[in-house]
Amino acid sequence: MHYVSTRGHTAAQTFSEILLAGLAPDGGLYLPAEYPTVTSAELDAWRKLSYADLAFEILRKFATDIPEGDLKALISKTYTAEVYCNARAGDDASRITPLCTLEEGKQGSLLLQALSNGPTLAFKDMAMQLIGNLFEYTLAKNNAELNILGATSGDTGSAAEYAMRGKKGIRVFMLSPHGKMSAFQTAQMFSLQDPNIFNIAVKGVFDDCQDIVKAVSNDHAFKAARKIGTVNSINWARVVAQVVYYFRGYLSATTSNEQKVSFTVPSGNFGNICAGHIARMMGLPIDQLVAATNENDVLDEFFRTGVYRVRKSAETWHTSSPSMDISKASNIERFIYDLLDGDAERLTKLFHKVETQGGFDLSGKPGSDGDEFAKVKQFGFVSGKSTHADRVATIQDVKARHGIVIDTHTADGLKVARQFMKPGVPMIVLETALPAKFNETIREALGEDAPRPVGFEHMEELPQRFEVMEAKVDAVKKFIAERTGG
Ligand SMILES: *Cc1c(COP(=O)(O)O)cnc(C)c1O
């Protein structure tokens, strides 16, 4: 299996070669030269597999240059009931991503698939825990080191830190806006005492943190000397690790491959739902892929109109589902590549237009950049949007009717999912975080605290380890240099 860039200018590479890479050198995103396919006989055989065994069957189709014994061992130590132990009361942790049926009725059935039972209580652990083990393995093989530099407003940073803590050959330098994260998110990151994890609280906002990361990454000499890397949402291995739970969800909700299911995905950067698209391209019988957005509706606009329009910071809202507060949907480039039938030249033109004019238009209307919007439905994509009032109402409704507390992102998903239910086609809503992480909105909706998983009760009281720093690139560089060998 070889990988190519969506912009077409790089030589084919192996899975291990792109594992530690972010963007391809031509600025594009990596994709397999062609998607592996799955037969009905394979699907049947996979029905009875554990999550880890299923993950191995899928990932061996993509990571063909890692010896199978090694790959299997890495996957087996990742997807265990001990790592994904934070299941809601009544759910079975050994199933890693258990399904819970909310409704079965004339309009079809509505299910939740729990993806947030990992150490940081958000779905990013599903891929990031595997990435931690894959990175450690690959670095050891090449006798190499990696210093991960990132900026976070919450979920990504903590998932990366919990995946990389204690890993040989890896350090994490994570920038966050000082005093701007929730008490829970701050405690989750800053209470880590592992010597390879460095929390840098920047006196500024999230954009200042992100600007510093960009400035450091653009200093190519420093980047090479200090072996700086990233694990952002465009990393291919993160996307492909997420393909597994779409298969798991399908196989758990059906008894025969004649059946179809739909998925609704609370979406921001299009990383999660991109994995659903890949599962569908591999032959998984998915009917609809429903992209649910919050007030930051870049994706909803595209899937309703064919117009992709990046938002300016002044029109990017801070909402109560903050992990979906995005101004552009980085991974959509992977879908556009498939929508254009792999025409890298046209794709490059479109994404240049994103940089120069803020977007492109595939609606087919006079003056637009193409008419491929007409083909979007063939890929199963539809979309909808949800607001703060919808989240609060949905959280209240689910608590009242089912006795379950869901988080704000999942609430966006559920609200939108209801618009696309069909008789005979189970609708699976991906639960992307546990409510304890976003307690402020749970209190607003329910007048009570969200349930806290065992072990998280006194997290805010633990000693914290972090460095407060001015929003200055040189200060961050000096800090990194001092901790990476002088
Ligand atoms: C990151 C995140 C999302 C958005 O996922 P994308 O892959 O960026 O679309 C949704 N919900 C939660 C809780 C998240 O942490």
Side-chain angles (χ1 to χ4, degrees):
M1 167 74 60
H2 284 278
Y3 292 86
V4 296
S5 164
T6 49
R7 302 203 187 174
H9 297 300
T10 42
Q13 297 201 287
T14 65
F15 182 84
S16 299
E17 282 165 342
I18 63 164
L19 177 62
L20 303 174
L23 290 177
D26 62 4
L29 275 59
Y30 287 109
L31 270 178
E34 54 194 43
Y35 294 116
T37 51
V38 171
T39 63
S40 190
E42 274 177 306
L43 272 185
D44 281 333
W46 292 356
R47 286 187 178 277
K48 48 189 177 301
L49 295 185
S50 68
Y51 192 94
D53 288 345
L54 176 64
F56 171 68
E57 292 302 329
I58 293 167
L59 292 173
R60 66 197 278 248
K61 292 179 184 282
F62 291 96
T64 48
D65 65 325
I66 298 182
E68 294 210 329
D70 292 355
L71 185 65
K72 189 155 195 161
L74 291 169
I75 290 172
S76 302
K77 79 170 175 186
T78 303
Y79 296 110
T80 67
E82 288 70 43
V83 175
Y84 295 91
C85 62
N86 296 308
R88 202 199 328 271
D91 278 356
D92 178 0
S94 72
R95 291 171 54 218
I96 311 295
T97 64
L99 286 184
C100 151
T101 303
L102 287 185
E103 286 161 31
E104 269 177 309
K106 277 202 287 293
Q107 314 92 303
S109 55
L110 185 61
L111 303 95
L112 282 181
Q113 186 175 5
L115 303 182
S116 36
N117 298 343
T120 75
L121 314 185
F123 90 95
K124 296 195 170 64
D125 291 328
M126 291 308 305
M128 206 72 94
Q129 287 289 316
L130 180 67
I131 299 290
N133 288 326
L134 280 170
F135 276 20
E136 185 179 49
Y137 166 85
T138 307
L139 291 166
K141 245 189 162 174
N142 301 323
N143 206 5
E145 284 184 21
L146 179 69
N147 294 306
I148 294 170
L149 176 64
T152 190
S153 53
D155 285 352
T156 308
S158 57
E161 291 187 355
Y162 279 75
M164 305 300 166
R165 61 187 297 200
K167 293 277 188 290
K168 286 188 274 308
I170 306 177
R171 295 185 196 85
V172 177
F173 296 89
M174 191 57 66
L175 278 52
S176 58
H178 184 39
K180 303 249 167 32
M181 290 190 295
S182 74
F184 186 96
Q185 287 176 316
T186 306
Q188 203 171 30
M189 288 176 56
F190 292 6
S191 64
L192 284 179
Q193 301 297 330
D194 307 74
N196 71 327
I197 303 294
F198 300 96
N199 283 302
I200 302 175
V202 173
K203 289 188 188 166
V205 294
F206 172 68
D207 286 336
D208 297 317
C209 300
Q210 212 161 24
D211 288 346
I212 295 173
V213 170
K214 271 189 208 145
V216 175
S217 302
N218 284 335
D219 181 343
H220 298 289
F222 183 85
K223 193 179 170 200
R226 300 295 159 190
K227 304 182 173 64
I228 304 283
T230 54
V231 276
N232 45 27
S233 81
I234 52 120
N235 179 289
W236 167 252
R238 274 184 70 180
V239 173
V240 78
Q242 294 169 175
V243 169
V244 177
Y245 52 71
Y246 287 89
F247 277 84
R248 179 77 280 160
Y250 172 80
L251 294 170
S252 301
T254 60
T255 49
S256 128
N257 306 336
E258 304 301 309
Q259 294 165 278
K260 287 193 168 192
V261 308
S262 294
F263 287 93
T264 298
V265 188
S267 292
N269 261 319
F270 204 72
N272 193 350
I273 200 166
C274 185
H277 164 67
I278 292 163
R280 196 173 181 277
M281 296 297 274
M282 290 171 73
L284 191 67
I286 295 175
D287 182 27
Q288 304 174 93
L289 283 165
V290 185
T293 75
N294 63 19
E295 291 87 336
N296 296 292
D297 57 355
V298 180
L299 286 171
D300 183 42
E301 180 175 17
F302 176 71
F303 286 112
R304 276 187 302 101
T305 66
V307 174
Y308 179 68
R309 185 171 63 85
V310 168
R311 307 300 197 248
K312 302 194 176 66
S313 11
E315 26 166 29
T316 305
W317 319 115
H318 291 283
T319 75
S320 48
S321 44
S323 301
M324 291 154 57
D325 293 347
I326 48 93
S327 55
K328 59 172 196 267
S330 318
N331 277 293
I332 202 164
E333 184 166 334
R334 291 192 160 108
F335 171 63
I336 300 293
Y337 183 80
D338 290 336
L339 186 64
L340 300 181
D341 258 331
D343 185 342
E345 206 173 311
R346 264 194 74 209
L347 180 137
T348 305
K349 284 202 190 105
L350 292 180
F351 281 87
H352 272 299
K353 204 167 168 198
V354 172
E355 272 151 48
T356 54
Q357 295 173 48
F360 54 77
D361 177 353
L362 296 178
S363 68
K365 294 196 178 128
S368 64
D369 304 295
D371 60 2
E372 280 80 3
F373 179 59
K375 278 172 53 191
V376 161
K377 282 240 156 62
Q378 295 169 23
F379 292 87
F381 277 106
V382 289
S383 72
K385 159 180 179 175
S386 159
T387 64
H388 179 75
D390 293 323
R391 284 189 276 288
V392 168
T394 304
I395 290 167
Q396 290 169 340
D397 175 66
V398 171
K399 176 75 201 296
R401 284 205 277 161
H402 309 291
I404 288 174
V405 183
I406 56 168
D407 105 288
T408 50
H409 308 76
T410 309
D412 287 328
L414 207 56
K415 144 83 188 7
V416 173
R418 290 189 190 282
Q419 297 163 234
F420 294 98
M421 287 174 63
K422 290 183 190 170
V425 183
M427 172 63 83
I428 301 176
V429 178
L430 299 185
E431 180 173 44
T432 54
L434 288 189
K437 279 199 112 159
F438 303 98
N439 196 39
E440 294 78 2
T441 308
I442 302 303
R443 289 198 65 92
E444 179 187 337
L446 303 177
E448 62 187 42
D449 286 323
R452 277 214 178 185
V454 178
F456 287 82
E457 297 88 347
H458 305 291
M459 202 174 54
E460 288 92 333
E461 291 145 41
L462 296 174
Q464 299 193 349
R465 181 172 158 267
F466 62 99
E467 195 84 18
V468 180
M469 217 174 274
E470 299 292 332
K472 294 213 166 78
V473 177
D474 285 340
V476 172
K477 276 188 183 165
K478 181 162 173 280
F479 183 88
I480 295 173
E482 284 166 1
R483 282 153 191 83
T484 54

